[in-house]
Amino acid sequence: MAASGRKAVSRKHREARGQDGTKVVLATTGEGPNKVVDRKLKGRMKREGALDREAAKNAAGVEFWLNTHDHGELAPENELEKTWRLKQEEVASLVEVGAASKRFDLKLEDHGPYACNYSRDGRWLLLGGKRGHLAMLDWQRHKVVCEVQVKEAVRDVCFLHNSVFFAAAQKKQVYVYDKRGIEVHCMKEHRDVEKLTFLPQHFLLASVGAQGILRYQDTSTGEIVAMHRTKLGPCKAMCRNPFNGVVLCGHAGGTITMWSPNMTVPLVKMLCHRGPVNSLAVDQSGRYLVTIGSDKQMKVWDVRTYKLLHAYFCSAPAKSVEISQRGLVGISWGSRVQVWKDALHVKAKAPYMNHQQDSGYIRQVSFCPYEDVLGIGHERGFSSILVPGAGEPNYDSFVANPYQTRKERREHEVHALLDKLQPDTIVLNPQAVGNLKLDPKEIVAQKKQEQRAAIQSRTTKQREKNEAKNKMKGKNKPTKRHRKKQMNVIRDQKEALQELVKRKDRDNRESKIGEDVPSSLKRFY
Amino acid sequence: MKVKVINRVEARETCERKGDLKQVRRNLNPELHPFERAIEYTRALNAAKLERVFAKPFVAALEGHTDGINCLARNPKRLNSLISGSASGELFLWDVPERRTIYNYVGHKRAVRAVTVSECGSLCFSCGDEGVVKMWRVPHAPLGGVTQTVDHTAVAEFTSDQVLRGIDHHYERSLFATAGEKVDVWDHERSTPVHSFVWGADSVESVRFNPVESDIFTSCGNDRSIALYDIRSGTPLHKLVMQTKTNSIAWNPIEAFNFTCANEDCCLYTYDMRRLDIAKNVHKDHVSAVLDVDYSPTGREFVSGSYDRSIRIFKYDGGHSRDVYHTKRMQRVFGVRYSGDGSYVFSASDDMNVRIWKAKASQKMGTLLPREKSKQSYNAALVKRYGHMPEIKRITRHRHLPKSIYKTKQLRTTVMESERKKQRNRIKHSAPGSIQPKPQRKKKIVTRLE
């Protein structure tokens, strides 16, 4: 029995072998062409499915050769060594000189506390001080690109589509500066903004603030795409989901809302905390949401099911949270920074790293993409600390290249504009683009239910008829008697039971596969 | 404690020396490439738009005839030559890339009805209303050499006692067939026909040899028939009678058992010569009689010219046309031919012009750079993949039609819809099974004779 079960599973899954010899099992796409009636379409879908699988297989094959850099890590040599005891000085003393130079402090006593933002390739750093100090740095080369004193409060800063332009949320309005520090635009529609975020594929700048109004502005055409009243009061926490472009806002009542420019009401609204939500972050795969609240909790949510996965206790209400490319969670409260590893899909027992910043309270923590660095904007300036294993070691030159030349940057800008997505592609499931629209699940279930009920009523009617004895000629023929008997066999539960067995079978299968899979194949699980 | 931190050396990531190629790094992790589907869709939409922007199919018009052009023939051995015959008895040999006549074949006193080129590519045969087949010599079309047109007289003449409507040359031997009141097969060396086929009393419109099984040929005639003949047995094989007349036939050069016929009822029908009781495909879209049809050498597409002043390109298995070409000045199209490399289409029309069109309206002609080539194939693949999306479908399907065709098309749709409705009602109100609707592919077939 077990053997036959295994056979059935192996028939349904295709095998692939990575270049390093690891065996990979590819799941079939499930609701595939089998359900399509049109024969031409069915054939086409089959071919395209095969192409997709082939591409994924090839990607898995070459991943080993392409990803030449290893990710950083902290490896304790015995059980007594704890990673969370390690101090920054020790880390810096144990790594190469080049890496150690990425740990530095900027003492900017009079202008803090600072908000910070790294560019998407991790090369540029933007600082915005509460007292009006704006600076853009080439931080790895320790060079200042531009510095402005705007003489009013800067609440948030954010890079636009490349390192040439950046937006700053100031006291009243949002301004756009170029990399020479010259004010390019003043966006008067964005009033009293607290948080800014930029959707690079859509060229949308989203802002939210004291008015509680979420505004989307297209930075390529300049028009306001959408303006949504959250109706939940002033909003101080916002982030974007990098997987689907949905913007998340955290509110004072403990709720968070998810927004797309196409809907005037939130796509999702969930109660996450007792008390205000202080900050929130979504990981790169778009699966996990981390929220921190004034109730001293850090909570991890599954964005697909909107269910709570884990809750962590902080000794004080945390102020800022950020998730790194490789899934490390950094949070800060007071002058303390904590980094958690493997805290999303399982519940971690202890923090990965601890750091005490002796320079006033921390306003914002921010992981640098493609580097093992965490930036801390605090009351007396900005500090950069080393967090091994935070960043993705292998960058893609066509996505974000830290060593981009000017010519490449210009070319990239043109391509990005050609591939610019319309705001209506912001939906909860971005893979739905180009799919055939089937009946919604509820309607399918309803139809099935109706069908079942009809069969049920027919059989019961027949049964009742059979029960009523009707002594007439021809009613006692052997065939008629047999048919009557068949009708009395009770099969009402059969379909439901069959479905149950099927579901159990599927669950069993799903629990077995999906470990040790290259990252390019993960979407099949 | 072992500590490892990402530490890239810039020189190694970019180029170490000045002349080195820049390093390109890829990471195929899908998390770094979000919105993959949406970006692809956007690219597909742009590709579909660009395709329509660049759709300029008209290349050139060959002027020179003084009356409507009746027939076209291309040389099977040369890409650059084309022969056209007109209703005033002119017969021109064209140098297509130079867009000028090389030879003016003098001799026909009345309209030239059909022309064909021999399998060797050095002789051509024309016939017309005076009932004489004339054999002409075809030179190599010089590339930019001779500038003036040379008059040329016939090499030989084959006298028939009837008005000839069609002619076609055998693909392997020195034989050709003519269509008049009967179908005759001639040899280059003899002045009388080798074979004569008579089946029925009415006159025959056109003949076409099979390119692969070369002794088999078809004819279509005024008695609404399509007949198949075999030279080896010397007898007609099959005959198919349809409701309306067939004007022209073309064999698929790759699947040589299939042929497509251009019918008077605005449709084209593809038949399998082994199964004549049902058409393989009905190709609709013309709004007036289809006058000529010719297959692309790849066998995947064919072009048809119609009395509605348009030419259309169909996929060999497509029920509707892939593209439609028309100009304000183009009149009734009497002849169409694909070029030998399948990238151009020629049309001969009543307005005394031979027109050259691109077979793919938006194709860039000439040598492409490798990057251009890959970009174009990527775009084509994208449009194919997302072609079912309403926005893209609308763009790729849209064709501007002249008002006359547009209106007639609407009218025809209304007529067909009402017929369909009537049939539906008839079935609904009759005894179940008493009315068997005939499939579209069988509807026009009257009888099949052996």
Side-chain angles (χ1 to χ4, degrees), chain B residues 422-436:
Chain B
K422 194 167 189 178
Q423 172 82 356
R424 241 186 351 247
N425 286 341
R426 199 169 274 156
I427 291 170
K428 209 197 271 174
H429 296 290
S430 320
S434 63
I435 294 176
Q436 290 295 339

Side-chain angles (χ1 to χ4, degrees), chain B residues 86-148:
Chain B
S86 79
S88 59
E90 292 158 333
L91 192 66
F92 287 159
L93 173 67
W94 297 92
D95 183 354
V96 177
E98 291 288 317
R99 296 167 201 176
R100 62 185 183 85
T101 47
I102 302 170
Y103 275 15
N104 176 17
Y105 293 120
V106 185
H108 279 290
K109 290 186 184 66
R110 294 171 66 189
V112 183
R113 291 288 168 195
V115 61
T116 182
V117 182
S118 69
E119 91 289 353
C120 58
S122 57
L123 292 170
C124 93
F125 300 85
S126 64
C127 65
D129 288 353
E130 69 247 42
V132 178
V133 178
K134 290 182 192 268
M135 183 165 96
W136 317 86
R137 202 161 289 289
V138 180
H140 295 234
L143 289 166
V146 187
T147 48
Q148 77 267 33

Side-chain angles (χ1 to χ4, degrees), chain A residues 221-271:
Chain A
T221 62
E223 62 184 319
I224 294 268
V225 171
M227 206 152 74
H228 302 321
R229 287 173 190 284
T230 58
K231 296 178 186 169
L232 291 165
C235 177
K236 291 189 172 177
M238 177 167 72
C239 76
R240 75 187 165 96
N241 184 339
F243 172 66
N244 56 14
V246 168
V247 167
L248 294 90
C249 295
H251 302 280
T255 52
I256 69 146
T257 46
M258 297 190 192
W259 297 88
S260 99
N262 316 312
M263 294 257 285
T264 50
V265 287
L267 303 171
V268 177
K269 189 174 176 185
M270 48 203 263
L271 181 64

Side-chain angles (χ1 to χ4, degrees), chain A residues 1 7 11 51 53 75 78 107 117 143 184 245-246 266 274 291 304 306 310 319 326 330 384 416 441 514 522:
Chain A
M1 186 66 197
K7 209 173 181 182
R11 227 186 297 128
L51 263 180
R53 278 196 295 276
N78 54 50
K107 290 203 177 93
N117 182 240
K143 272 185 201 160
V184 184
V246 168
R274 296 177 186 166
T291 59
R304 295 169 296 180
Y306 313 111
H310 323 289
K319 281 286 171 224
R326 294 194 66 247
S384 167
K441 255 183 197 167
K522 285 244 164 81

Side-chain angles (χ1 to χ4, degrees), chain A residues 27 47 161 223 232 269 283 289 324 369 401 428 488 492-493:
Chain A
R47 278 196 297 278
H161 61 277
E223 62 184 319
L232 291 165
K269 189 174 176 185
D283 83 318
L289 161 70
S324 83
N401 185 0
L428 284 171
N488 286 338
D492 301 348
Q493 302 291 324

